[in-house]
Amino acid sequence: MANVSHGRSDITSHPDVSEMRERYARMLGGRDVALVDGPVFLLGLYCAASPWIVHYAAGQPALATHNLIMGIAIGLLALGFTRAPERMYGLSWAMCAMGIWMIIAPWVVGTGPDTGVIINNVVIGALALCLGLVCAASSARRTPMT
């Protein structure tokens, strides 16, 4: 009977060890702001649900639709940051722009927003702007200057 059990061997003798190490380093190199991905996703979820949480969906239907769409967009950015960080962190500046837009949206999209609506959107916008700046600063630090 043949011996089919494989003894433990060192991976340094593997023919593709250099390629595996390079791929592992690339994967870890793009994850320096991985802790931001979760909060960005949660911010997107809250932004999408905020008209119903703060109870202005009936009084401000245009702003409710706006926040729903913006929340979905922020959530999709977060998923992109998680799935393909090396491709998506260039869009961190788009998240900063979305944050600024969320701050001014109650006056542009809404009709006579009350204090709760304004505070809600300003907090969401400020958080999106801050998280976008963290992602953008990290990607700028990681990108080599040519």
Side-chain angles (χ1 to χ4, degrees):
M1 186 164 244
N3 183 8
V4 292
S5 64
H6 299 284
R8 293 194 181 256
S9 64
D10 193 10
I11 194 159
T12 57
S13 63
H14 193 281
D16 296 328
V17 70
S18 61
E19 180 184 344
M20 290 188 306
R21 284 184 178 157
E22 180 182 318
R23 186 180 305 160
Y24 184 71
R26 265 195 331 259
M27 285 176 48
L28 288 181
R31 302 306 303 152
D32 50 352
V33 290
L35 293 176
V36 177
D37 299 349
V40 170
F41 185 72
L42 291 175
L43 181 68
L45 286 179
Y46 175 75
C47 181
S50 67
W52 294 273
I53 294 171
V54 184
H55 301 293
Y56 65 87
Q60 298 278 342
L63 196 57
T65 304
H66 168 269
N67 279 18
L68 177 65
I69 292 169
M70 291 296 289
I72 291 170
I74 291 171
L76 288 175
L77 272 177
L79 290 176
F81 291 159
T82 302
R83 297 284 297 158
E86 64 280 348
R87 294 181 186 169
M88 292 294 292
Y89 280 122
L91 291 176
S92 301
W93 293 109
M95 191 155 133
C96 294
M98 292 169 84
I100 293 169
W101 174 250
M102 286 298 296
I103 292 171
I104 63 172
W107 295 280
V108 177
V109 178
T111 54
D114 63 353
T115 307
V117 172
I118 293 170
I119 291 173
N120 181 60
N121 272 34
V122 166
V123 168
I124 291 171
L127 287 172
L129 179 62
C130 290
L131 290 171
L133 287 173
V134 168
C135 290
S138 174
S139 67
R141 183 174 36 93
R142 212 173 359 105
T143 305
M145 296 292 180
T146 54

